[in-house]
Amino acid sequence: MTLAATAHPGFLSPTGIEIAFVLVGIATLGAALLAVTTKQLVHAALWLVVALGGLAVEYLLLTAEFIAWVQVLIYVGSVVVLLLFGLMLTKAPIGRSPDADSGNRWAALGVAVAAAAALVWVVVDAFRTTWIDLDGPAHGSTEATGAFLFRHWVLPFEALSVLLLAALVGAIVLSRKRSKEQS
């Protein structure tokens, strides 16, 4: 066996990180499926926490620590907490909700499969001839990522924060109107 053959194990001999990546990916996919198929809103939000946490673990396995912590802080720490507060403040049903199922499961499944196929096709087509230079400068460093985010994505992040704030204020207003009507 030559040195080149031992340096790159190949597809049929995965490393421990690759095995962990696949296992965490399967668990994340399972949590995401449970998040969209459960009929209990609070359980759906909690399964969403598990799915988003699994994505953070995937980022850690890809050695993108900054993006992993951003995932935990923004999505798990803010968006899901805001969603749970919205559910609590609007007095959403805790148990099984008949309103959570509209009977359009097959149409929704068809749209989801078509959207997933289109997304896979677009990503594969966009990056078919793209190669990553692993010997060059680190493009995923915190400095490069922060500069890119603050240069190109500040407005969408701020718009999302205003939207989430409006949702929280709306939930508070709705909960106060109901409590005034009951008393």
Side-chain angles (χ1 to χ4, degrees):
M1 209 178 242
T2 65
L3 181 62
T6 59
H8 302 288
F11 179 72
L12 295 177
S13 57
T15 64
I17 291 177
E18 291 168 343
I19 292 170
F21 189 85
V22 169
L23 292 176
V24 171
I26 291 170
T28 302
L29 179 65
L33 287 174
L34 285 170
V36 298
T37 57
T38 186
K39 291 185 180 182
Q40 298 182 0
L41 294 176
V42 176
H43 288 182
L46 295 176
W47 281 117
L48 183 62
V49 169
V50 174
L52 293 173
L55 283 176
V57 172
E58 296 283 33
Y59 287 132
L60 282 176
L61 290 172
L62 290 171
T63 65
E65 294 88 4
F66 176 70
I67 302 297
W69 287 114
V70 167
Q71 172 81 15
V72 169
L73 290 173
I74 292 176
Y75 289 105
V76 177
S78 300
V79 173
V80 174
V81 169
L82 183 64
L83 178 70
L84 288 172
F85 273 122
L87 287 173
M88 289 186 286
L89 289 173
T90 58
K91 296 183 175 81
I94 300 296
R96 294 174 81 69
S97 175
D99 297 338
D101 190 12
S102 68
N104 295 327
R105 286 181 183 241
W106 293 108
L109 181 64
V111 169
V113 168
L119 180 64
V120 167
W121 179 73
V122 165
V123 169
V124 168
D125 188 50
F127 296 107
R128 182 172 305 180
T129 58
T130 303
W131 296 96
I132 299 172
D133 181 20
L134 296 177
D135 295 328
H139 294 291
S141 68
T142 306
E143 180 182 357
T145 304
F148 182 78
L149 286 176
F150 284 115
R151 186 174 301 122
H152 301 291
W153 293 98
V154 170
L155 187 60
F157 277 121
E158 291 300 321
L160 178 64
S161 67
V162 170
L163 180 69
L164 292 173
L165 180 63
L168 183 61
V169 170
I172 292 171
V173 168
L174 286 175
S175 68
R176 288 189 175 240
K177 282 184 180 178
R178 287 184 185 165
S179 64
K180 286 181 183 178
E181 290 172 0
Q182 291 173 354
S183 57

